[in-house]
Amino acid sequence: MSDGRRAALAALLAIEAGQQAGPALDAVLAQVEEPRERRLATELAFGVTRWQASLDGELGTALVRPLPSLQPAVRATLRLGLYQLRHMRVPAHAAVDTSVRLAREHAPAAAGLINAVLRRVAQRAPEPSQDLAEAYSHPPWLVERWLERLGRDETRRLLEENNRAPGITLRANRLRTTAEALRAELDQAGIPSA
């Protein structure tokens, strides 16, 4: 299993304990050396945080017990597994396996539960929630305000756009290079730029 998944779990547990997402992830990433694993941890931690309401809604339908009654490590591991299934297109066997291995490290008694729940949700298509706040993981009061002001279609478009992962923007330091020279350097390195 990757250090990225472990780091993401550690960051999610710190966030649940009350830390801000950015500083919690930064503290954990300081211990991860490989850039690929750092990117994975960042995607997982911020993705689970961004989509938590939606993930919790789907997990709530797959669990017998209420999600809040589970240990924080179990909740976070379930969210990580479901996020990989629904938003990262990680194959079901890989998402389930890595989540079960995380559970064995942090909550061994819950490994069977995590295995069963993630296998169950992996076998069924996600049911779109009629509740826009849950479907798009936004605060209900904000969605209600937008619905009143913008209507359902415009609110849905705004929610979809608001959940897109931010792009990366670079700015050339004009004391060292030009925008054209930076673009050429990126192209030469195989990094597409606009």
Side-chain angles (χ1 to χ4, degrees):
M1 182 182 7
S2 73
D3 287 338
R5 286 179 174 87
R6 284 187 183 99
L9 179 60
L12 290 171
L13 291 173
I15 292 166
E16 188 157 338
Q19 291 185 27
Q20 294 291 320
L25 184 61
D26 288 343
V28 171
L29 288 179
Q31 301 168 16
V32 179
E33 292 182 21
E34 188 171 333
R36 181 174 180 222
E37 296 300 322
R38 293 170 62 88
R39 288 190 300 272
L40 176 61
T42 301
E43 169 64 25
L44 288 169
F46 284 146
V48 168
T49 302
R50 184 178 356 20
W51 286 99
Q52 184 172 327
S54 176
L55 297 171
D56 287 357
E58 187 170 353
L59 287 170
T61 64
L63 289 164
V64 176
R65 294 173 49 188
L67 189 63
S69 71
L70 300 175
Q71 296 173 344
V74 176
R75 286 193 301 266
T77 304
L78 284 167
R79 289 171 182 147
L80 276 171
L82 185 57
Y83 180 77
Q84 291 174 78
L85 289 169
R86 297 296 187 236
H87 298 283
M88 292 182 68
R89 292 184 228 160
V90 171
H93 69 277
V96 173
D97 180 62
T98 57
S99 298
V100 169
R101 284 198 264 156
L102 273 176
R104 286 187 184 133
E105 293 175 14
H106 294 277
L113 170 76
I114 289 170
N115 184 37
V117 169
L118 290 178
R119 284 188 187 282
R120 189 176 316 133
V121 296
Q123 290 174 353
R124 65 180 188 209
E127 296 177 21
S129 174
Q130 296 303 315
D131 178 25
L132 290 177
E134 181 180 301
Y136 292 97
S137 197
H138 276 67
W141 64 268
L142 182 60
V143 173
E144 289 173 23
R145 180 181 294 173
W146 287 347
L147 284 169
E148 288 174 11
R149 293 180 182 174
L150 305 171
R152 189 164 184 87
D153 290 338
E154 187 62 27
T155 298
R156 184 181 299 277
R157 280 193 289 276
L158 182 59
L159 291 167
E160 287 171 357
E161 188 62 34
N162 202 24
N163 272 335
R164 290 194 201 288
I168 296 174
T169 304
L170 296 177
R171 192 181 112 213
N173 180 346
R174 294 191 297 179
L175 296 174
R176 294 179 173 225
T177 188
T178 65
E180 294 78 24
L182 178 60
R183 189 174 297 118
E185 207 174 314
L186 290 170
D187 289 341
Q188 185 178 15
I191 301 170
S193 61

